[in-house]
Amino acid sequence: RTRVVRDQYEALATVRDELKLAQSLIRRVSDKARRTELTNAYDQAQTSVMRAVNAGHRFVYDDLRDELATAQKRAEALLARLATR
């Protein structure tokens, strides 16, 4: 179980790095409407990251896993949207 939790925390760090990259790319978007849309998607992903962190602090690893999976999906979708335009 310890290894699984360690892997989850490493994946959480990866998602945080992806979101930092996304945030820097969002700042470069000149279209205000698109930037707002991307910022909202970023905020949703960030919320899942914070929920995952809070679950880890409470030692509720099932919630950590679930919120991490949501954050990963949202971060991947956001980066894909940033790459398409």
Side-chain angles (χ1 to χ4, degrees):
R1 179 154 178 106
T2 303
R3 180 67 186 157
V4 171
V5 173
R6 184 177 308 139
D7 289 345
Q8 288 175 339
Y9 280 115
E10 289 173 6
L12 189 58
T14 299
V15 171
R16 283 180 160 169
D17 290 342
E18 291 172 348
L19 289 177
K20 284 180 189 176
L21 172 62
Q23 189 175 41
S24 70
L25 294 172
I26 290 169
R27 287 185 184 129
R28 298 179 190 170
V29 173
S30 58
D31 181 325
K32 188 174 181 175
R34 183 164 187 261
R35 187 173 55 240
T36 299
E37 178 183 313
L38 293 168
T39 299
N40 289 338
Y42 169 85
D43 290 343
Q44 289 178 351
Q46 188 64 30
T47 298
S48 293
V49 168
M50 295 308 299
R51 287 179 179 162
V53 169
N54 289 336
H57 289 166
R58 294 187 329 265
F59 304 104
V60 182
Y61 297 116
D62 290 339
D63 289 351
L64 169 59
R65 181 194 63 233
D66 295 344
E67 289 297 337
L68 175 59
T70 301
Q72 288 171 321
K73 288 176 189 172
R74 289 178 175 174
E76 289 171 11
L78 177 58
L79 289 172
R81 287 171 62 190
L82 284 163
T84 58
R85 286 190 189 176

